[in-house]
Amino acid sequence: MAQQGYPVYHIAGLGTFQPDVLVQPFAPYIDMHHKLHVPHRHSFYHMVYFTAGSGCHTIDFHRFEVRPFQLYAMIPGQVHHWDFRGNVDGYVLNFTASFFQSFLLRPDYLEEFAFFRGQAQQAVLDIPVSMRTGVTALFDEMVSLASSLDTLRIDQLRVRALTLFLELATLQEPAKPAPLSYNATLLRNFQKLVDKHFASLRLPKDYAALLYITPNHLNAICSDLLGQSAGEVIRERIILEAKRLLVNPELSVAAVADTLNFKDNSYFTKFFKKYTRTTPEAFRKALTADFG
């Protein structure tokens, strides 16, 4: 646990008899799992649709106000926690990365949905009045199917889930006139490489070599499509992981620095403060004040 830096929960530990998927009303789910109120990660995709309640939800240190007819979508590895006010209800859908693999030819299909790209700001959807009945009906159908999952019902559940994702996608990408451009594809691949190698590869030239392009080309792509340099993309990912690790008070700042391959604690502290304007210790203290 200490090496991970935060609790990591798996579907098998959440009371489901099916190892790859869990779908149920949210009120009994949150009543059963009080530990989910403290910062934690999941090893699975996590989607919650609220029909009642209020409070706040923090995803990767971005805070959102919870309100009815709002949907949150998270990918494996993101750190989040809830702080509800009063009773909440809705639906929860959890599924592993392997749940759709036998059903879809494209292993990266879910990445086509903006809400499953690991960006907190894209993970929150306000469901318009015109879609609420349909979204609720899909969740109700999935809950019913999940009560007894044989092979046929599992496939029916997959179809309902994919239908939901396609409906939600219209809220973020109402028009998709053309496939990803060459540069957009390069950017997506760069971001995937950064997510995999950020602790060991720190320089844009390292990623440019993996992509078989020049560092100048990589920087130009990031500038055009993201409005920031390749170096900034790498640094933001390192800072995000540092924040995720600092969630665990049992993990020393020196251990966080070591996990992220900084040569020493002092260098890590200077790096963190330069880009967050606070020290790791002060950041951790602020987190402790936020959730006790």
Side-chain angles (χ1 to χ4, degrees):
M1 185 72 69
Q3 289 181 339
Q4 293 170 325
Y6 28 73
V8 179
Y9 299 119
H10 309 280
I11 284 184
L14 295 177
T16 177
F17 297 104
Q18 217 291 336
D20 292 318
V21 64
L22 179 153
V23 56
Q24 66 181 82
F26 189 65
Y29 174 85
I30 203 67
D31 284 343
M32 288 176 59
H33 306 296
H34 296 288
K35 60 189 178 183
L36 302 183
H37 287 280
V38 299
H40 62 277
R41 280 186 178 185
H42 299 291
S43 64
F44 48 85
Y45 289 84
H46 181 54
M47 180 172 280
V48 177
Y49 176 50
F50 289 100
T51 57
S54 63
C56 69
H57 183 201
T58 302
I59 307 174
D60 281 339
F61 315 101
H62 295 273
R63 182 185 175 98
F64 303 93
E65 290 296 321
V66 171
R67 54 182 177 269
F69 308 112
Q70 190 178 59
L71 185 143
Y72 290 82
M74 284 154 281
I75 67 172
Q78 288 187 285
V79 170
H80 80 118
H81 71 279
W82 310 98
D83 182 13
F84 297 123
R85 292 190 290 271
N87 297 323
V88 295
D89 205 358
Y91 302 88
V92 59
L93 169 64
N94 298 333
F95 61 93
T96 65
S98 62
F99 182 60
F100 290 104
Q101 284 180 355
S102 63
F103 199 69
L104 298 171
L105 293 176
R106 293 176 49 196
D108 62 344
Y109 181 76
L110 293 180
E111 295 176 13
E112 293 299 316
F113 301 108
F115 47 82
F116 280 145
R117 292 177 189 163
Q119 301 296 322
Q121 293 86 347
Q122 295 180 313
V124 184
L125 300 173
D126 290 306
I127 307 303
V129 174
S130 61
M131 290 179 60
R132 292 172 186 173
T133 298
V135 169
T136 299
L138 284 169
F139 273 107
D140 281 334
E141 290 174 18
M142 287 190 287
V143 169
S144 177
L145 288 167
S147 63
S148 177
L149 285 175
D150 55 27
T151 301
L152 178 60
R153 289 169 71 91
I154 289 175
D155 281 347
Q156 291 175 328
L157 177 54
R158 291 186 177 106
V159 169
R160 301 305 194 284
L162 288 172
T163 300
L164 173 64
F165 302 159
L166 290 165
E167 288 295 315
L168 296 175
T170 64
L171 299 175
Q172 293 180 314
E173 300 176 353
K176 201 167 187 178
L180 287 176
S181 68
Y182 173 66
N183 281 348
T185 301
L186 281 175
L187 175 62
R188 182 77 64 82
N189 291 336
F190 169 56
Q191 291 170 321
K192 290 180 183 178
L193 287 170
V194 170
D195 204 48
K196 184 177 181 180
H197 300 293
F198 65 87
S200 57
L201 300 180
R202 301 289 176 84
L203 301 177
K205 68 177 183 179
D206 298 326
Y207 294 96
L210 292 174
L211 294 167
Y212 299 99
I213 60 176
T214 67
N216 285 342
H217 188 183
L218 179 59
N219 271 314
I221 291 171
C222 292
S223 178
D224 289 345
L225 299 181
L226 296 178
Q228 58 183 167
S229 69
E232 288 175 307
V233 174
I234 300 166
R235 287 192 295 272
E236 284 185 356
R237 185 61 183 86
I238 296 169
I239 291 294
L240 174 58
E241 194 66 20
K243 289 179 176 179
R244 288 173 170 177
L245 292 169
L246 288 167
V247 164
N248 183 8
E250 297 180 3
L251 195 66
S252 69
V253 173
V256 173
D258 184 63
T259 300
L260 296 175
N261 288 324
F262 283 87
K263 61 183 180 181
D264 56 48
N265 184 27
S266 175
Y267 181 52
F268 167 65
T269 297
K270 290 178 181 177
F271 175 89
F272 190 88
K273 185 175 183 180
K274 179 178 179 180
Y275 295 107
T276 67
R277 298 184 180 180
T278 188
T279 65
E281 292 84 356
F283 175 79
R284 172 173 280 170
K285 185 178 293 185
L287 283 178
T288 303
D290 284 342
F291 51 79

